[in-house]
Every structure is written in structure tokens, then in C-alpha cells.
Amino acid sequence: MANYLSLIYQMIQRDPLLPVSTLFIIIIIFLSIIKKANFQTLKFITFLYLCSSIIFGFILIYLQFKVWKNSDISKYLLPPFYDISYFLEYSLFRFFRNFYFRLFGFLAAVLWIKLIIFILKRDPFYEEEKILIPLLTLFLQFPYNSLFLLVGFIILMVAMLIRLLFKKLSIQEKKSPKNLWLFIFIVVYILQPFLFKSILLSTTIP
């Protein structure tokens, strides 16, 4: 447990917005349990999450500025001793680096859904899935969001094949494993620290 918490702490160091994601994940799980995770609600949560992440990020930047300003050493990296652009570049990179990758993952998930619909020549997704999948992808760091989409794609294809072969459902029926997306996400999210450790080891071993 101590090792797991230590890995989480290291992840937060690399992704300071992780606590915001965790809070919204709890909200999503709660809404799913009480059957309130509909399209409009998830769309609002997506907007709220993006706004919260940006606000929280700028709060961290402000706190970073205060720390530097009160330091006998780092205060010389701030105006009037140094141009403010240096601090802004450093802070935006440190606090929003993973957020940029999350946004990329979100857009990739949207395109992934559109690609699946285009390939199948029909829409196999439930309406709320079209926002739930990108939203869950938004909660995961790169490359774990890619892993989530890959696993989901494999399960989607397998589920469709099984239903077509053994249940002989109409080709027009929804075949996406609707109730499995959140489960897949939770598994990947819990495994993140261990995957993170593996990546760290692979990058440190010569």
C-alpha cells in the first residue's frame, strides 16, 4: 500500500491536476450508480471539468509565483530581475503539460467514435457513450488513455462478433458494451501507478 501511495504521489508530481480528475471520476461513478449519467449531464460535467482544471491550474501557478517570490534564490527569476515570460513558460509547462495530452486524448476519442461509425456504416454507440468515452479518456494520462481506447475497441469488436454469431441480433441493434466502459476505465485507472512504475523503470534502465 505504501508503495502504491508513493507511486500516486510521483504521478501527482508529474500531473498536478490529477486530484481534480479523481474528484470528477467519483462524481461519474456516483451518477452511474444512481442511473443519472445521461448525455446532457455528462456533457455538463465535461464542461465543468475543463473549467475546474483550468482554474485549479492557474491557482497552482499563482501559488508557485508566491513561493518563488518569497524565496531568496528564485525571486531573482521573477520581475524586476528577470522577464516574466520565463516563469510563465515554466509554470504552464509544469501544471498543464499533461492537461494538453488529456485534451489530445479527448479529441482522439471523439474521432475514434466517428471512425467506428464510418467503418461500420451505422452507429453502434448509445447516445451517452459518445460523451462518456471521451470524458473518461480525458481523465487518464497519456499513454493510459490510449490503452483505454484500445481495450475498449477490442471488447467492442468481440462483443459485436459474439452477438452476431450466437444471438443473431439485428445489425441495426446497439452492440456497444455500454456498461463495461466505466469498468474498463476503473481497471486502467487503478493500474495506472503500476504502469507508471514500469514506464519509469524502462526509461531509467540503460
Side-chain angles (χ1 to χ4, degrees), residues 95-174:
F95 296 118
F96 285 101
R97 174 185 55 185
N98 278 285
F99 184 66
Y100 302 146
F101 284 111
R102 290 174 187 269
L103 288 177
F104 179 78
F106 178 86
L107 295 175
V110 173
L111 293 176
W112 177 81
I113 290 173
K114 293 184 178 297
L115 180 63
I116 293 296
I117 295 174
F118 175 78
I119 292 175
L120 298 178
K121 305 300 182 183
R122 67 180 193 83
D123 186 358
F125 299 100
Y126 293 89
E127 197 66 22
E128 56 267 32
E129 283 182 301
K130 296 176 185 178
I131 188 67
L132 177 63
I133 298 171
L135 179 57
L136 294 178
T137 307
L138 194 59
F139 292 148
L140 291 167
Q141 298 182 36
F142 179 83
Y144 316 117
N145 47 15
S146 301
L147 176 63
F148 168 69
L149 288 178
L150 177 62
V151 173
F153 173 76
I154 293 173
I155 291 179
L156 175 62
M157 293 297 104
V158 172
M160 290 182 63
L161 182 62
I162 291 175
R163 291 184 180 184
L164 283 173
L165 290 178
F166 297 99
K167 294 190 177 181
K168 298 181 180 180
L169 298 181
S170 168
I171 194 64
Q172 298 302 321
E173 278 195 59
K174 302 289 183 182

Side-chain angles (χ1 to χ4, degrees), residues 37-138:
N38 55 59
F39 180 83
Q40 291 300 326
T41 302
L42 294 174
K43 188 176 180 180
F44 174 73
I45 288 177
T46 302
F47 173 77
L48 192 61
Y49 169 74
L50 292 173
C51 292
S52 299
S53 296
I54 293 172
I55 293 172
F56 186 69
F58 278 105
I59 290 175
L60 292 177
I61 290 177
Y62 172 75
L63 294 176
Q64 182 76 72
F65 181 85
K66 297 289 287 186
V67 170
W68 281 27
K69 188 175 182 180
N70 294 324
S71 170
D72 292 333
I73 299 177
S74 57
K75 69 178 182 180
Y76 292 105
L77 297 174
L78 297 172
F81 307 103
Y82 213 81
D83 191 86
I84 190 64
S85 61
Y86 174 80
F87 170 77
L88 291 177
E89 288 176 9
Y90 167 82
S91 300
L92 289 172
F93 177 79
R94 179 171 183 234
F95 296 118
F96 285 101
R97 174 185 55 185
N98 278 285
F99 184 66
Y100 302 146
F101 284 111
R102 290 174 187 269
L103 288 177
F104 179 78
F106 178 86
L107 295 175
V110 173
L111 293 176
W112 177 81
I113 290 173
K114 293 184 178 297
L115 180 63
I116 293 296
I117 295 174
F118 175 78
I119 292 175
L120 298 178
K121 305 300 182 183
R122 67 180 193 83
D123 186 358
F125 299 100
Y126 293 89
E127 197 66 22
E128 56 267 32
E129 283 182 301
K130 296 176 185 178
I131 188 67
L132 177 63
I133 298 171
L135 179 57
L136 294 178
T137 307
L138 194 59

